[in-house]
Amino acid sequence: MPVETLELGVNGMSCGHCAARVEKFIRQQVQSVEDVKVDLEGRKVTVRCDTSKAGVKEIAAAVEAAGYSPVLP
C-alpha cells in the first residue's frame, strides 16, 4: 500500500465553510484517504492516501464536485 502525500491548489475558497466543503467531498469521493488538510490562506489541499487506489486526478475531481477549481501541480 503506497501511502503518499499529494498536494494541489484550490481556487475559489473564501471562508471556513468552503474549506470544510472541500474536505468533506474529498473524504467522501476519494478512496483510501487517511488525512485531508485544507489550507484556506494558501488555497491548497494536502491529502494522504493510498496512491494505488487514488491520485491527483481523483482529488481534483472531488474538488470540482465541491464547486471549486483545482490547480494541478
Side-chain angles (χ1 to χ4, degrees):
M1 178 166 110
V3 175
E4 293 184 35
T5 301
L6 305 173
E7 183 178 289
L8 69 139
V10 180
N11 285 332
M13 293 190 301
S14 60
C15 64
H17 175 73
C18 297
R21 182 174 170 87
V22 168
E23 179 177 345
K24 176 183 171 185
F25 272 70
I26 290 171
R27 288 190 186 278
Q28 287 179 345
Q29 296 185 12
V30 180
Q31 291 184 21
S32 73
V33 169
E34 287 191 1
D35 191 34
V36 178
K37 291 190 173 137
V38 180
D39 178 359
L40 181 59
E41 287 184 27
R43 294 188 180 163
K44 65 182 178 181
V45 63
T46 304
V47 180
R48 281 189 49 80
C49 64
D50 178 348
T51 54
S52 70
K53 296 181 181 178
V56 171
K57 189 171 154 182
E58 289 79 13
I59 296 166
V63 169
E64 284 183 338
Y68 303 94
S69 300
V71 180
L72 301 176

